[in-house]
């Protein structure tokens, strides 16, 4: 029983991916991560830098807004 108690007190090894932050895709500038958010019947693009696109009824247009934002320097 003492060996069991000792093994339980050791920290469990974490997979490497669990300790690293998720890297942005290579086509996105550093510090920018755009996504779309739905609000009722509208969809809008948001970025981690604080930018927000106009509310759109078309999800595709909101995704285009996000892509245009990421493409501008």
């Amino acid at each position: 029983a003492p060996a069991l108690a000792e093994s339980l007190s050791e920290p469990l090894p974490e997979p490497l991916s669990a300790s690293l932050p998720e890297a942005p895709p290579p086509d996105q500038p550093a510090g920018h991560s755009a996504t779309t958010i739905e609000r009722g019947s509208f969809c809008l693009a948001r970025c981690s830098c604080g930018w927000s696109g106009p509310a759109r009824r078309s999800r595709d247009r909101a995704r285009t807004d996000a892509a245009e934002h990421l493409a501008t320097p």
Side-chain angles (χ1 to χ4, degrees), residues 48-72:
S48 60
C49 74
W51 173 86
S52 179
R56 308 277 190 184
R57 287 198 181 267
S58 167
R59 289 184 187 100
D60 189 47
R61 183 60 187 142
R63 284 190 290 266
T64 302
D65 291 340
E68 289 173 356
H69 169 70
L70 293 175
T72 58

